[in-house]
């Protein structure tokens, strides 16, 4: 059975300009009331977003995500287009890039680009195994296209666009490239910290064994400014790809012992991290702190703990007979000791 499609579309202000010209009162409800009764053919003439998605031949099963800049006209267009597709029965949502505004300040623009990169990656990785992924670069802020293209390439997404008044979409399939990300595995904790903060240059030099080795990563992955080191946008893309394909999990000592004894368990742990199976399986007699993940056609059960902003904790992986014994005793899996591990999925 084919996967449903995730389609991410950048939204510009063309729809507003076509309907209201230069009217500065950017109200999405006004725009929605203007377009909701228009014929599809007319909508395709005034909205590059609707036109390109129509040429894509949607069937109603797609997940649609519309990304707008933090400008009143783009937001109005994004809200009206989102409501249009929701009214048709689609699963559709709008995301605003808060830091991407009308500005000529370089630092503010770079903040906006970084937020766009993060948002696009987070959206893609959320649906990594459940959907086929498409990025629509027909419309929106033109400066975002190179970043969307790079991210699409790295994360194996289809990219498509409709050029001007062309009748046919240009569809670029995922590029078959594999990037060497061993640098991230070798310096895992360093890049985890760098993903959320800046790091002093001296600490970075110590991490990589001197200034000369650090310089090899500048300017492609890292950048130095005022004695501080941070990830470049391209470096962040590569790091997030590594992180999504090798998610960090915390495993108990029991799970560590079990994984060392059985390759089969690693297969089920990968399936679990990919979201296969049934989450939060209800147990009538269980008195513990963990949730239970079930694989319907298999005997394995995984007991796990989810905490906001933290790697998932895997407390136990048990076969049916062992798990029947396990749930009969009171448990507090939060008090177990856990060890970080990367699992390639």
């Amino acid at each position: 059975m084919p996967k449903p499609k995730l389609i991410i579309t950048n939204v510009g202000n063309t729809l507003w300009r076509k309907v209201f010209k230069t009217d500065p009162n950017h109200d999405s409800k006004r725009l929605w009331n203007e377009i909701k009764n228009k014929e599809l053919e007319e909508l395709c003439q005034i909205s590059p977003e609707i036109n390109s998605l129509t040429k894509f031949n949607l069937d109603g099963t797609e997940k649609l995500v519309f990304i707008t800049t933090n400008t009143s006209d783009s937001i109005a267009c994004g809200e009206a287009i989102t409501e249009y597709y929701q009214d048709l029965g689609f699963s559709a949502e709008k995301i605003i890039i808060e830091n991407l505004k009308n500005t000529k300040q370089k630092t503010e623009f770079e903040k906006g680009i970084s937020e766009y990169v993060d948002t696009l990656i987070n959206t893609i990785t959320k649906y990594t195994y459940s959907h086929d992924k498409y990025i629509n670069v027909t419309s929106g802020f033109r400066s975002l296209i190179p970043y969307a293209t790079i991210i699409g390439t790295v994360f194996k997404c289809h990219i498509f666009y409709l050029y001007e008044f062309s009748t046919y979409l240009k569809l670029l399939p995922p590029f078959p490239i594999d990037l060497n990300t061993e640098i991230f595995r070798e310096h895992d904790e360093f890049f985890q910290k760098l993903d959320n903060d800046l790091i002093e240059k001296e600490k970075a030099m110590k991490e990589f064994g001197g200034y000369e080795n650090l310089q090899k990563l500048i300017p492609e992955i890292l950048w130095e400014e005022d004695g501080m080191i941070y990830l470049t946008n391209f470096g962040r893309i590569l790091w997030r790809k590594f992180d999504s394909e090798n998610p960090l999990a915390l495993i108990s000592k029991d799970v560590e012992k079990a994984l060392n004894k059985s390759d089969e368990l690693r297969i089920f742990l990968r399936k679990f991290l990919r979201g296969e199976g049934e989450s939060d399986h209800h147990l009538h007699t269980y008195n513990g702190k963990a949730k239970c993940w079930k694989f319907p056609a298999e005997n394995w059960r995984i007991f796990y703990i989810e905490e906001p902003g933290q790697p998932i904790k895997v407390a136990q992986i048990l076969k049916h007979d062992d798990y029947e014994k396990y749930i009969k005793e009171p448990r507090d899996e939060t008090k177990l000791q856990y060890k970080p591990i990367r699992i390639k999925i």
Side-chain angles (χ1 to χ4, degrees):
M1 183 177 178
K3 294 180 181 179
K5 297 180 177 68
L6 166 72
I7 304 177
I8 303 170
T9 300
N10 294 335
V11 178
N13 64 3
T14 301
L15 177 59
W16 182 271
R17 289 189 290 103
K18 293 285 188 178
V19 175
F20 291 117
K21 309 299 181 186
T22 58
D23 187 336
N25 182 21
H26 301 133
D27 183 354
S28 63
K29 290 183 179 178
R30 283 179 65 204
L31 186 56
W32 167 240
N33 287 331
E34 282 291 326
I35 71 170
K36 66 182 180 181
N37 294 320
K38 291 184 182 295
E39 297 293 332
L40 179 58
E41 183 177 353
E42 184 178 356
L43 288 174
C44 287
Q45 293 175 356
I46 61 177
S47 168
E49 297 86 2
I50 295 175
N51 191 22
S52 55
L53 290 173
T54 300
K55 296 293 191 298
F56 191 83
N57 293 323
L58 303 177
D59 61 17
T61 62
E62 295 83 2
K63 169 68 179 180
L64 304 179
V65 176
F66 297 98
I67 297 181
T68 79
T69 60
N70 193 9
T71 54
S72 56
D73 49 358
S74 177
I75 292 171
C77 291
E79 289 177 348
I81 293 169
T82 301
E83 191 163 356
Y84 170 77
Y85 281 103
Q86 288 175 343
D87 195 56
L88 293 175
F90 284 85
S91 173
E93 65 175 288
K94 175 192 94 283
I95 300 175
I96 301 172
I97 307 301
E98 298 290 344
N99 288 304
L100 206 52
K101 309 171 184 177
N102 283 329
T103 179
K104 294 182 180 179
Q105 295 184 17
K106 182 180 178 182
T107 54
E108 291 299 316
F109 176 74
E110 288 177 347
K111 280 184 183 178
I113 292 296
S114 293
E115 184 184 346
Y116 174 75
V117 167
D118 284 346
T119 299
L120 197 53
I121 291 173
N122 290 340
T123 305
I124 290 167
T125 54
K126 181 179 178 181
Y127 298 95
T128 296
Y129 297 101
S130 59
H131 289 65
D132 287 329
K133 302 168 294 295
Y134 293 76
I135 302 175
N136 179 8
V137 296
T138 300
S139 54
F141 197 25
R142 294 300 171 191
S143 296
L144 300 178
I145 293 177
Y147 295 97
T149 303
I150 292 170
I151 292 170
T153 300
V154 171
F155 284 86
K156 294 181 169 57
C157 302
H158 297 78
I159 299 170
F160 70 91
Y161 64 92
L162 185 66
Y163 180 72
E164 297 292 337
F165 299 103
S166 172
T167 308
Y168 303 102
L169 284 178
K170 180 66 176 177
L171 179 64
L172 304 176
F175 295 112
I177 67 168
D178 286 301
L179 300 164
N180 184 0
T181 54
E182 276 306 303
I183 188 73
F184 299 127
R185 191 180 300 280
E186 293 168 4
H187 303 275
D188 195 342
E189 289 187 20
F190 175 85
F191 282 104
Q192 286 182 52
K193 294 175 183 176
L194 197 61
D195 192 27
N196 297 302
D197 203 354
L198 307 180
I199 291 180
E200 294 175 2
K201 177 181 172 181
E202 288 74 17
K203 291 182 179 179
M205 288 169 58
K206 185 177 179 181
E207 176 74 23
F208 293 101
Y211 183 74
E212 186 175 337
N213 289 336
L214 177 62
Q215 283 296 305
K216 293 176 182 178
L217 303 175
I218 298 173
E220 286 80 11
I221 295 177
L222 304 178
W223 188 251
E224 174 192 351
E225 190 171 310
D226 298 329
M228 303 299 289
I229 299 294
Y230 60 89
L231 280 168
T232 63
N233 283 320
F234 185 62
R236 189 179 302 279
I237 291 168
L238 295 183
W239 162 251
R240 293 291 181 84
K241 174 182 169 62
F242 168 79
D243 191 46
S244 68
E245 293 182 346
N246 304 270
L248 185 66
L250 301 176
I251 60 172
S252 69
K253 290 183 177 180
D254 286 343
V255 172
E256 182 181 12
K257 290 178 183 177
L259 291 176
N260 289 334
K261 292 179 181 178
S262 171
D263 290 335
E264 183 185 13
L265 284 188
R266 289 185 176 272
I267 294 173
F268 283 99
L269 186 56
R270 290 190 188 102
K271 289 182 177 182
F272 164 65
L273 293 171
R274 287 199 296 260
E276 299 177 20
E278 296 179 7
S279 63
D280 202 10
H281 176 57
H282 182 66
L283 300 170
H284 295 287
T285 59
Y286 172 61
N287 181 19
K289 302 292 186 180
K291 297 178 181 179
C292 179
W293 193 281
K294 175 185 177 183
F295 297 97
E298 307 289 344
N299 284 327
W300 293 103
R301 303 290 187 273
I302 293 180
F303 288 82
Y304 65 101
I305 298 172
E306 288 181 306
E307 296 173 339
Q310 297 296 319
I312 200 160
K313 292 179 178 177
V314 185
Q316 289 288 348
I317 306 180
L318 302 169
K319 273 202 165 181
H320 186 272
D321 291 345
D322 292 327
Y323 117 87
E324 291 262 335
K325 297 175 186 176
Y326 182 81
I327 63 177
K328 290 179 181 178
E329 299 291 332
R331 307 283 178 180
D332 187 354
E333 290 87 353
T334 62
K335 294 182 178 180
L336 297 176
Q337 291 184 325
Y338 291 90
K339 172 185 177 180
I341 185 175
R342 290 277 180 187
I343 304 292
K344 184 173 179 57
I345 58 175

